[in-house]
Amino acid sequence: MPDPTAADRPAPAAPPAPHPPAPGRGGARGPVSSAAARLGGFVALPLLTAVAPLLVLPAITAAFGQGAWVSVAVAQSLGAAAAVVVELGWGLTGTQRAARQGPEARRRLLALVTATKLVAAVPTLAVVALAVALLVPRHPVEALLIAAGGALSSLNATWLFIGTGRPSLVLAVEAGPRIAAMVVAALAVSLGGSLWWFVAACLLPSVVCPVVGLAVVGVRPRHAAGLTPRRVLGALAGQRHALTGRALSAAYIALPVVLVGAVAGTSVTAVFAAAERLQRMLLSGLQAVPNALQGWVGAPAGVEHRLDRARVAIVVNGLVGAAAGVVLTVAGPWLSAVVFSGVATLGHREAAISATLVVVVSLSRAVGGIALVVVGEVRGLARSALVGALVGVPLILLLGHQGGVVGALAGEVVAEAAVLVVQLRSLGRAVAERRGRSAARALGAAGAGGDAHGAATGAGLRVLQWRVHDPGYPRNVRVREHLEARGHRVDLHERARGPRRHLVDLRALVVRSRAADVVLVSEMSLDFVAAAWAVARVRRLPLVVDVFIGKHETLVGDQGFRAPWSPRALLWALVDRVAVRAADVALVDTRVRAEHLGRRHPRATVLSLPVGAPTWARERPLRADPRLRLLFYGSFLPLHGVPTIVRGVAATRRADVALTVVGSADRAGGEADAAALAAELGVGDRVAFLPATSPERLGELIGEHDVVLGLFGDSEKAGSVIANKVWQGLAAGRVVVTRESAALDELRDLVGGQLVTVPAADPEALARVVEGLADRRPGAVGGARARLDAYVRAEFRGLDDALAAAVTAAVGRRRGARR
């Protein structure tokens, strides 16, 4: 059965190295072309190793029968388990390490690795001898030597050749001699030779090939000069996590034949061993894929670059494993009948379960043997192996006893699936913790920069601004520009369109949050905060929600789309409440609203970020005109109070007052209704209607008018916000007339008499103010822009502080989870 830590178990005749597949060094080419080049170099070796058993197994089963086949299978199972221990996990940690080393460093590394393996081999072989004596009644001496050959196969230098991208050396030094030995053994047994030919084919290459490998690499006595007992024991201790994972995995990966043999009869064990052998042969062939990728993954100096390549390796291994699984399902019964001479034949059901195992292991090889090594999470391999042992051993014993071959194979699949799940969780935690450390370092670096708020800026964070309805909308532009100015990288996701838009948005959230330090939900996406919260919690990322536009306050309180106690209204109220409570930081636009939400949600962090004015709203000189020119622009929402504006202009009874209304809204209360009202009141000639236009054109229109009109609705929301048009008119140096509101208190001292207020929904009061302005004809006002910008910058520093606190808390959660 395949190794979830990517340790390939020895094949029956020519055991591949019991370490995770690994490949050559990467060049400057892209992932696809570089990987393809490596596959060309490595694919022949595991395929040849996979084919070698086809030469000798039919001869053995035909010549010696079912009993001898079971003895050989049990011996190979014990040898594979021993090989896992002797290998000490160097295939996990050494391959990528060798990919980045120079020749001399590699020679010293090979000398050290060989020494540690020899030390581990002595007690391991003693245990193997005892196990053979207890478990193999037929051909015990031959079985002992076959098992010893499997155990000693780990002494080879294949892991180093793979790491340095030298497939030709793997063929010449390791795979070639083993295949040649199997060919000779197959011919000898077919011509009437004894089982000792196969014994020699298993044992001799395991003794000779490691010696040849040392010579080929150029290891000399000087390279082992520093290998004192203390150094060797220290290296053994350093491999404890990798070794623990491999030793645990041996219980359910290399020993299933032994376990099944202990609870089932010879016929069941023979068929199960046949399924195991076909899995190993196929996985030995599939070893080409990780072999071609591991050195390529390990070659770059940067961990992030290696992690990107590891993701490619996972996908490629999964796809290739799925294709191989289909082949095994279809051809498995026929192939088993041929290879095992009819003494152990699989059915389609057994072949399908074995194929499932191949797919899971192919993924596990890349996740465990490549990706977890990249992030330095070798302990995750030990945890996954422990889970595999705890799940696999009892399941194989129980299901093998109850369900025979099918039950035992199902136990293997469940164990491998559990291992893969643990590996994926370990990988996710390791990546999240790495991002947290990066964020923390960024916070510290910012604090060391001397800025008064430097320690709070978290410069360098990756912020996912998710589900933005309009990238040019002033609110999210302001937030994005501030983050980027502070050194953060903003990944903007514009909300999708079309029938599958929600699925597209959610997929973007899941995928793009992997590379984020913070998730920021845009101001018109409160319905999706629960989903964002779930993803952020899984990834242990802080969640920032812009509640600038609440669902209930807008659709019920302002626009009256539903009765306050209707089911839909109650649902919208719940959406607003969840948005605030779920957020690590909730953003609003005025201090009044922040205080209100703070009272309703005392445990929430609610921050006021002023809307501010965009750069296109700049100061321009007034044009001479005998009329007082009023400007309103918007989308004709109830809080805008457009009917109040039209009635107020009509109430002035002055021909020198002209109103321009800019905007489009094809609904009740839109521009058509406003135009009809103007005509009804007899001011159609003084009110001009223009369609919605670009921000730049709005800036020009502000410059062409004397007064900008704000909000005049009487809803609760209208009394708690400061509209975009108010900020923009003030920044452009124009007098702004709008309804009375406590929210405006934060601006009064900055703009003085430039801001004029009237009671809400009061056309007569508006008419009196307009007449007064027409009498005194106000000019352009300078200086407000600079004061408003300075105020906005000061308020946005609260976002820096809040982000710092949220990121620090998230880092703490990650560390706590790991403990």
Side-chain angles (χ1 to χ4, degrees), residues 735-757:
V735 169
V736 174
V737 181
T738 190
R739 62 153 285 175
E740 295 173 347
S741 168
L744 296 170
D745 292 345
E746 57 187 283
L747 297 186
R748 293 188 189 280
D749 292 341
L750 302 175
V751 296
Q754 193 180 344
L755 178 64
V756 180
T757 59

Side-chain angles (χ1 to χ4, degrees), residues 116-437:
T116 58
K117 288 180 179 181
L118 287 171
V119 171
V122 175
T124 303
L125 289 175
V127 174
V128 167
L130 178 61
V132 168
L134 295 174
L135 299 173
V136 184
R138 299 183 183 181
H139 309 286
V141 178
E142 294 93 327
L144 174 60
L145 294 178
I146 291 171
L152 296 177
S153 67
S154 290
L155 296 176
N156 62 67
T158 300
W159 59 273
L160 189 144
F161 299 147
I162 290 172
T164 56
R166 302 292 299 277
S168 59
L169 290 180
V170 181
L171 177 62
V173 176
E174 179 68 21
R178 290 184 181 278
I179 293 171
M182 287 297 154
V183 170
V184 172
L187 291 173
V189 172
S190 298
L191 295 174
S194 70
L195 189 60
W196 283 97
W197 284 96
F198 180 67
V199 172
C202 292
L203 182 60
L204 291 179
S206 295
V207 175
V208 174
C209 291
V211 176
V212 175
L214 290 169
V216 168
V217 174
V219 176
R220 300 292 182 266
R222 70 175 186 276
H223 297 120
L227 296 182
T228 62
R230 182 175 182 180
R231 172 80 188 283
V232 173
L233 292 176
L236 283 168
Q239 291 297 108
R240 63 187 182 279
H241 294 303
L243 173 60
T244 300
R246 294 209 183 258
L248 289 170
S249 67
Y252 66 96
I253 291 168
L255 294 177
V257 174
V258 176
L259 297 176
V260 173
V263 297
T266 300
S267 60
V268 171
T269 304
V271 176
F272 179 77
E276 275 276 298
R277 186 57 54 221
L278 290 180
Q279 292 170 17
R280 293 186 185 185
M281 287 191 294
L282 184 56
L283 286 167
S284 181
L286 294 180
Q287 184 178 340
V289 179
N291 276 5
L293 292 173
Q294 186 160 308
W296 172 73
V297 170
V303 174
E304 289 298 326
H305 194 179
R306 294 201 296 273
L307 192 57
D308 288 340
R309 292 188 173 192
R311 294 188 182 101
V312 174
I314 293 171
V315 173
V316 171
N317 271 269
L319 293 176
V320 173
V326 172
V327 173
L328 180 58
T329 301
V330 174
W334 169 81
L335 187 61
S336 63
V338 173
V339 172
F340 302 103
S341 306
V343 302
T345 302
L346 274 65
H348 284 290
R349 184 169 53 174
E350 290 87 351
I353 298 174
S354 296
T356 303
L357 192 69
V358 169
V359 176
V360 176
V361 172
S362 295
L363 288 169
S364 183
R365 282 176 169 178
V367 174
I370 296 179
L372 284 181
V373 176
V374 167
V375 296
E377 186 55 25
V378 180
R379 290 176 299 178
L381 297 174
R383 285 193 294 268
S384 69
L386 176 60
V387 170
L390 293 176
V391 173
V393 172
L395 274 183
I396 293 171
L397 289 171
L398 176 62
L399 298 181
H401 176 68
Q402 298 292 330
V405 177
V406 171
L409 289 172
E412 287 186 302
V413 172
V414 173
E416 291 288 7
V419 167
L420 179 59
V421 169
V422 173
Q423 288 177 348
L424 288 170
R425 288 181 59 85
S426 296
L427 179 62
R429 284 195 297 266
V431 172
E433 183 178 356
R434 180 173 183 81
R435 290 177 185 154
R437 288 196 300 267

Side-chain angles (χ1 to χ4, degrees), residues 601-688:
H601 308 282
R603 299 177 63 181
T605 299
V606 185
L607 182 66
S608 171
L609 296 184
V611 171
T615 55
W616 54 260
R618 62 181 183 272
E619 297 174 355
R620 291 180 171 90
L622 281 171
R623 295 182 182 179
D625 195 296
R627 300 171 300 166
L628 180 71
R629 296 157 298 179
L630 311 178
L631 174 66
F632 171 84
Y633 52 92
S635 52
F636 298 89
L637 296 173
L639 84 163
H640 292 161
V642 175
T644 297
I645 295 173
V646 174
R647 293 180 188 278
V649 171
T652 62
R653 308 295 181 185
R654 294 183 60 151
D656 60 345
V657 174
L659 169 65
T660 301
V661 178
V662 181
S664 302
D666 186 14
R667 61 170 181 269
E671 70 269 27
D673 288 348
L677 178 61
E680 177 187 338
L681 297 175
V683 291
D685 58 333
R686 290 194 287 136
V687 181

Side-chain angles (χ1 to χ4, degrees), residues 22 140 193 430 435 558 561:
R435 290 177 185 154
D558 185 59
F561 281 173

